[in-house]
Amino acid sequence: MSRERAVIHAITGASGAPYARRLVQVLAASGVRVHLTMSSAGARVLLEELGIRADPAQFDPRLFDVESDLVTYHRPEDVGASIASGSFGASAMVVLPCSMGTVARIVHGVSSNLIERAADVMLKERKKLVLVPRETPLSSIHLKNLLAATRAGAVVLPAMPGFYHRPTTLEELVDFVVTKVLDQLGVPSDLIRRWGKAPGR
Ligand SMILES: Cc1cc2nc3c(=O)[nH]c(=O)nc-3n(C[C@H](O)[C@H](O)[C@H](O)COP(=O)(O)O)c2cc1C
């Protein structure tokens, strides 16, 4: 049986669809199996931000220009999917982008769909859960929920690109955030110039 690394990636309805597409592309190219799912709001944001008309009931990874059979898609309503179980062997889960609504439901253990259930499982199994929220400004409700997520064991990694690698393109800004996520997953990457490495200017 194949023992390749498996990561769960949920796309929810916050702004940041370009990050999501890039993460799937890089993970698949790195030989990591991706168990992908998305909320209907996530699909709506794909349309608004990338012009991708996705059906959350049956998403085709080729819409992300990913041909690899390393990407398996799960319907968000399918709470009986493999990734909904604690016995599933994923090493980590990323919610990218992560809406404040999904943060709220995860920290309150709502588990009303596959995304929330899979996140609940990662927390109870003490496995890595990386939430990449995006909202501004943040209300006290958002801040309390993000603190609760951290206290429950999740890594809160806001979609906040830095500028010290001197990006000149949108792709470089996207790669900054994706690199931070890959670092959390322990997936080696060289998408951006690292701080302290030969700036050359
Ligand atoms: C184009 C667009 C952009 C949005 N951006 C954000 C955002 O950055 N952060 C956020 O928390 N919600 C954002 N929303 C609202 C969420 O999509 C909405 O709260 C939704 O119910 C979240 O559902 P989900 O958590 O099931 O994906 C956005 C919605 C749309 C249509």
Side-chain angles (χ1 to χ4, degrees):
M1 199 177 100
S2 152
R3 296 301 303 158
E4 84 255 316
R5 186 127 185 250
V7 166
I8 301 166
H9 177 188
I11 299 172
T12 67
S15 182
Y19 301 124
R21 174 172 63 184
R22 183 69 166 143
L23 181 66
V24 175
Q25 290 171 343
V26 175
L27 286 175
S30 304
V32 177
R33 175 162 293 282
V34 184
H35 286 269
L36 187 65
T37 183
M38 78 179 64
S39 65
S40 53
R44 171 71 190 271
V45 175
L46 286 186
L47 179 63
E48 300 294 338
E49 298 187 339
L50 296 175
I52 292 175
R53 194 171 291 279
D55 178 358
Q58 43 177 15
F59 179 75
D60 183 345
R62 283 177 296 187
L63 291 170
F64 280 169
D65 299 321
V66 175
E67 291 287 345
S68 169
D69 61 4
L70 284 174
V71 182
T72 304
Y73 185 74
H74 303 272
R75 289 184 298 114
E77 296 81 18
D78 186 8
V79 288
S82 55
I83 59 173
S85 167
S87 60
F88 186 71
S91 57
M93 174 172 178
V94 184
V95 186
L96 167 62
C98 187
S99 74
M100 298 314 304
T102 290
V103 172
R105 291 188 298 274
I106 290 172
V107 302
H108 288 94
V110 173
S111 289
S112 66
N113 64 21
L114 181 60
I115 296 168
E116 296 156 23
R117 167 63 186 167
D120 199 52
V121 165
M122 299 313 278
L123 293 176
K124 85 181 172 75
E125 299 293 334
R126 306 288 196 269
K127 287 186 179 171
K128 183 155 260 183
L129 173 63
V130 182
L131 304 180
V132 188
R134 186 272 151 205
E135 188 49 276
T136 195
L138 293 165
S139 71
S140 63
I141 296 169
H142 298 149
L143 291 165
K144 267 195 288 185
N145 286 339
L146 292 170
L147 180 59
T150 302
R151 286 187 170 151
V155 173
V156 175
L157 193 161
M160 289 180 181
F163 291 85
Y164 48 80
H165 64 310
R166 300 199 190 178
T168 55
T169 64
L170 201 55
E171 287 73 22
E172 288 171 307
L173 278 177
V174 168
D175 280 351
F176 182 96
V177 171
V178 170
T179 294
K180 293 285 182 186
V181 173
L182 293 167
D183 287 352
Q184 285 296 323
L185 300 177
V187 175
S189 69
D190 58 358
L191 305 179
I192 61 166
R193 179 169 58 77
R194 302 275 180 169
W195 177 248
K197 287 244 173 108
R201 50 184 159 161

